[in-house]
Every structure is written in structure tokens, then in C-alpha cells.
Amino acid sequence: MVNTGDTAWILTSAALVLLMTPGLALFYGGMVRAKSVLNMMMMSFGALALISVLWVLYGYSFAFGDDVGLGLLGDPTEFFGLAGLMEDLTTEEGGLPTMAFVGFQAVFAIITVALISGAIADRAKFGSWMVFAGIWATVVYFPVAHWVFDFTLTDDDGVVTHTGGWIANELAAIDFAGGTAVHINAGAAGLALALVLGKRRGFGRDAMRPHNLPLVMIGAGLLWFGWFGFNAGSALAANNTAAVAWVNTLVATGAATLAWLLVEKIRDGHSTSLGGASGVVAGLVAITPACSAVSPLGAIAVGAVAGALCALAVGLKFRFGYDDSLDVVGVHLVGGLVGTILIGFVGTAAAPAGVDGLFYGGGVDQLWRQVVGALAVLAYSFVLTLVIGWLIQKTIGFRLTEEDEVTGIDTVVHAESGYDFASLGGGGSTAPLGGQARAEARNTEGSQA
């Protein structure tokens, strides 16, 4: 029988996670310069549209089809086009319609791709970005989702009915909601693309301040709101695990925000709204893999460490000379690593995941598993993204020309502007008319006469 309460919670969680992508668009859009805001937001919306289609065609099957060997990839033909999944099928764990699970996992794939875009803001062709998004989701995200999220299932007699991925099963690393599959994956990809496309014109010399901090704050708020679906929804039931994940998500994010603001105050003499918004995201990223494995006090520790380290890590791009425009590396890669690895230290068997870390007497057994899982995803994503980005750059071109970058990507690529200041004059404007406008005015006057 379908559990209607659990189903309602998962569909609600899926909607919350879907909202995170428009929230990310606002967050990223406010952080870029005014001449790039529409393109930045379009990169998120483009990912939302494209990955939705690819997930239905073959993405779900790649990620959750029966393993074809070594825990590396699901059978791409098993659920092609979601064939056979519209019936009233339920998962083994507790009465969810399979299509509810399909929808929930789809929005994870969408936002993972969208996250990468922040690393290459201001300088990537939109068409090339869409090509990259489709290829990267196919050869990087879908297989990694299989590694991390696809669990082996057995029937009541112990007979294996479905074989899943190697990180979830053979390695037994804990990643409750996507610290590796989503954040380390996207962060490593962002670093690789930043290296392929090179620095923005004026990087390290010109001020490239966020053009609209209220948008950034609104986006961060929507991300925090939607993240409760991201983490608590990953329990796949309306149960105690979901409740623990919800509370841990709340408190870790608060601790990370405070830590980031404190680092800013000590380092720069003031705490900023951009820092507060970035601290929110850093805390959300770090607690994502750990929210089922730590106590609320452990969640505070995870958040505080992540907030402080990510606040320091965003400056690494200036030290090492890579242009990660919106700090995808400093927040998502570093935050994902912190949250994933700290499970090996502060995980407690009293939490739903039931595993003790080093500080709770569990030794290093879980710690090494966390490290291996994190590094495996990091290396796979970085290398494959480097290859994909390089091939696109050498074939159809990935980066804008210098002239187009200076002019502004919104005008050049989308023929639009985020802010039409000319319209502020209204009908009473005395600004001189352009040539075509003057001709249209003369025609109008002639017809009236």
C-alpha cells in the first residue's frame, strides 16, 4: 500500500528543492555585475529545463537502474523514458510511488548542474553552457549519483533484487543528501571550468562587486528554505530521521553564518550582508552529508568549522590565480569536503545513521571511508570536467570574446538588459530620439495629418 503521508512529504520536499534553483538564480544573479545578471540567471533556468528532460529520457536509469558492473553505472535501458514506472509501484523501504522518488531525485540533478555556473560567471557563451550541461550531467552527475545514492536491495529471503553503486554499498561512506554527489561534484567541476575558461578581464585589478545585494539575500533565504526539503526530504519518509535532519540543518546553518561573520569582523573589521548570505550557503552545504549522522551539538560544530574555513577559502583564488567568479570552489567544494569528512570525527551512533566517529570511540574506520568517497568524486569530476570543457572550447568555443565580455553578456548574447533605466523618464522624457525612432515619429505625424 502507498503511504500517503510519506508520499505527500516527498512531493512537498521535491517542490522545495525545485525552488532552490530559482533561489540560486537570484543568489548568483545579485552577485554579478549588472551587465551579466540575466545571463547568470538564465544559466540556472537553462539547467532546470535541460536536465528535467534528460532525467526522464535516461538520467534516472543511469543513476538508479540495476548496476551494470563494479557499482559504476546503472543500466541505461532499464527505465529509458521512465518506461513501466507510471504504475502504482512502491520502493522497498516503505510505500513510496516510484514516480515520487523519480521527481525528488530529478531536482537534485538540476541544482547540481546549476551550481557549477557560478564559477564561470561573466564570460561563458550560453549555448556552449547548455551543451556542457547536457554532457556533464550524462558522464559525470548521473554515474556519481549511482555511486552515492543507489542502494542495493534484498527481499525477505535475503536475495538481492537490485544492485546499487560502490560508494553507497561497498565503501559504505555516509552521504545523506549529497555532500559528495552534489557539492564536491559541482565544486570540483567549477574549478576545472574556471581553469579552462581563464580569468575574467580585469580579475584581481578591477572591482567586481555584487550589483544587487538584496537579490543575494533573497536568494540565500530561498536556498535555506528549500534546503529543508533537500536534507529532511532525503529520509524518504515523514519520520524521526527527517526530523533530526531538519533540526541539524537549521542549527548548522546558523552556526556557519555566525562563524563567517566573525571571521569577517576579525579579518576586515566589519561583517557584511554578502558574508552573511555566503555563510548560510556554507552551512547548508556542510550539513548536507552529515545531517543524519551527527547530534545537534555536532551539527553546530560542523557548521562553525565550515563557516570559518569557507570564509578563509574564498580568498584562495587570489593566492593561486584561478578565477572562480562566485566562489563555487570556496563554498561548495570546501564546504562539501568539511561536512563529508567531519562525519568521521563527530558522527554518533545515537543519530539515525548509527555510526560512531573518531571522537565518539569509533576509531578511524568511518573516517577513511569518508575521505576515500570524497576524494574519488573530486578526482572523477575534476578530470572529466577538464576534458569536457577543453573539448567544447576547442570546437564550438566556450568563452566570449574580449569585446563581448566588456560590452556585457546580457546585451551581446540575450539582446536584453536587466535594468531599463531609459524607461524611468516615461512619456515626459526629453531625451533625443534615435534615427529609427525619429522616422517612426515622422510617419506617425504624417498619418495624423
Side-chain angles (χ1 to χ4, degrees):
M1 296 293 293
V2 170
N3 185 315
T4 55
D6 288 348
T7 302
W9 169 237
I10 298 309
L11 293 176
T12 301
S13 295
L16 288 171
V17 180
L18 179 63
L19 181 65
M20 289 169 62
T21 298
L24 181 72
L26 290 169
F27 182 74
Y28 278 172
M31 290 175 68
V32 297
R33 289 168 287 181
K35 63 182 180 179
S36 306
V37 57
L38 294 179
N39 175 258
M40 195 70 257
M41 298 179 78
M42 279 291 291
M43 292 173 85
S44 288
F45 277 86
L48 198 163
L50 177 63
I51 307 306
S52 296
V53 174
L54 297 185
W55 185 254
V56 167
L57 290 178
Y58 59 82
Y60 179 77
S61 196
F62 270 36
F64 293 99
D66 202 42
D67 187 71
V68 295
L70 303 177
L72 297 177
L73 185 68
D75 183 349
T77 64
E78 185 174 359
F79 303 120
F80 184 84
L82 304 184
L85 297 184
M86 289 191 296
E87 303 168 14
D88 190 20
L89 304 175
T90 58
T91 62
E92 293 286 336
E93 283 85 9
L96 282 182
T98 302
M99 290 294 275
F101 182 73
V102 169
F104 182 68
Q105 285 293 333
V107 289
F108 278 64
I110 291 164
I111 197 166
T112 304
V113 175
L115 287 171
I116 302 169
S117 64
I120 54 172
D122 293 335
R123 61 197 189 277
K125 297 178 180 178
F126 181 69
S128 299
W129 159 254
M130 294 296 286
V131 172
F132 168 81
I135 296 174
W136 189 86
T138 301
V139 302
V140 180
Y141 180 79
F142 297 158
V144 170
H146 178 72
W147 302 357
V148 175
F149 293 142
D150 193 17
F151 290 89
T152 296
L153 302 176
T154 58
D155 62 18
D156 293 338
D157 297 322
V159 177
V160 174
T161 58
H162 173 82
T163 304
W166 73 276
I167 288 180
N169 299 287
E170 282 76 21
L171 183 63
I174 296 173
D175 183 357
F176 188 68
T180 54
V182 176
H183 299 292
I184 293 175
N185 203 1
L191 176 59
L193 276 195
L195 295 176
V196 170
L197 268 66
K199 305 171 188 176
R200 288 167 292 177
R201 185 178 181 276
F203 173 74
R205 183 185 71 243
D206 300 340
M208 298 181 180
R209 301 184 186 91
H211 87 283
N212 193 324
L213 286 169
L215 280 188
V216 176
M217 299 293 284
I218 292 170
L222 289 173
L223 286 170
W224 197 345
F225 177 69
W227 222 289
F228 290 109
F230 201 86
N231 286 358
S234 291
L236 298 182
N239 58 14
N240 180 65
T241 301
V244 171
W246 199 103
V247 172
N248 283 344
T249 299
L250 175 69
V251 72
T253 307
T257 305
L258 295 175
W260 190 302
L261 293 174
L262 181 61
V263 168
E264 278 194 329
K265 182 65 175 178
I266 295 171
R267 181 185 60 196
D268 308 322
H270 47 260
S271 302
T272 67
S273 60
L274 178 61
S278 300
V280 166
V281 178
L284 292 167
V285 168
I287 198 58
T288 291
C291 57
S292 72
V294 300
S295 68
L297 290 179
I300 292 175
V302 169
V305 171
L309 290 183
C310 290
L312 297 171
V314 295
L316 294 177
K317 62 184 178 183
F318 300 107
R319 179 183 295 272
F320 294 108
Y322 62 90
D323 186 6
D324 170 23
S325 305
L326 306 184
D327 300 316
V328 178
V329 176
V331 174
H332 293 276
L333 179 56
V334 173
L337 286 169
V338 168
T340 301
I341 293 173
L342 280 183
I343 294 172
F345 289 98
V346 298
T348 172
V355 174
D356 281 325
L358 180 63
F359 295 166
Y360 285 81
V364 298
D365 181 64
Q366 193 61 41
L367 177 60
W368 76 261
R369 298 176 190 274
Q370 299 302 122
V371 172
V372 170
L375 295 182
V377 172
L378 191 161
Y380 180 81
S381 179
F382 180 81
V383 172
L384 267 291
T385 305
L386 206 63
V387 173
I388 297 167
W390 183 84
L391 288 174
I392 292 176
Q393 176 68 8
K394 293 300 181 182
T395 51
I396 63 176
F398 210 147
R399 179 164 180 158
L400 289 176
T401 64
E402 182 175 318
E403 180 182 358
D404 289 345
E405 184 180 339
V406 172
T407 301
I409 193 169
D410 286 356
T411 302
V412 172
V413 175
H414 303 291
E416 296 175 304
S417 174
Y419 305 95
D420 184 8
F421 296 111
S423 65
L424 294 177
S429 174
T430 58
L433 295 173
Q436 182 173 346
R438 287 197 299 270
E440 291 174 352
R442 285 196 300 271
N443 292 336
T444 301
E445 291 170 359
S447 64
Q448 290 173 344

